[in-house]
Amino acid sequence: MKVEFNWKKWLVYFIVAAGLIYLTKSFFMSLGIFILLLLIDWALGEWEKKHRQE
């Protein structure tokens, strides 16, 4: 099983994470927001994959 690694996507994730830490001044609040964003991204990806197969 080959795992694709998208460097541009992870660069955007890093920038968003750094921006959240800068804006909230709290690591744990930023971590919670970032985890929610990752879950939303995953769910949208699965939804898109499901609709492409139909």
Side-chain angles (χ1 to χ4, degrees), residues 3-35:
V3 177
E4 277 188 40
F5 193 77
N6 190 345
W7 288 101
K8 292 178 185 176
K9 189 175 185 179
W10 282 99
L11 178 64
V12 170
Y13 286 160
F14 179 75
I15 292 169
V16 168
L20 282 171
I21 291 172
Y22 177 75
L23 288 173
T24 62
K25 306 281 193 268
S26 168
F27 174 76
F28 292 110
M29 185 183 297
S30 299
L31 181 65
I33 293 169
F34 190 70
I35 289 172

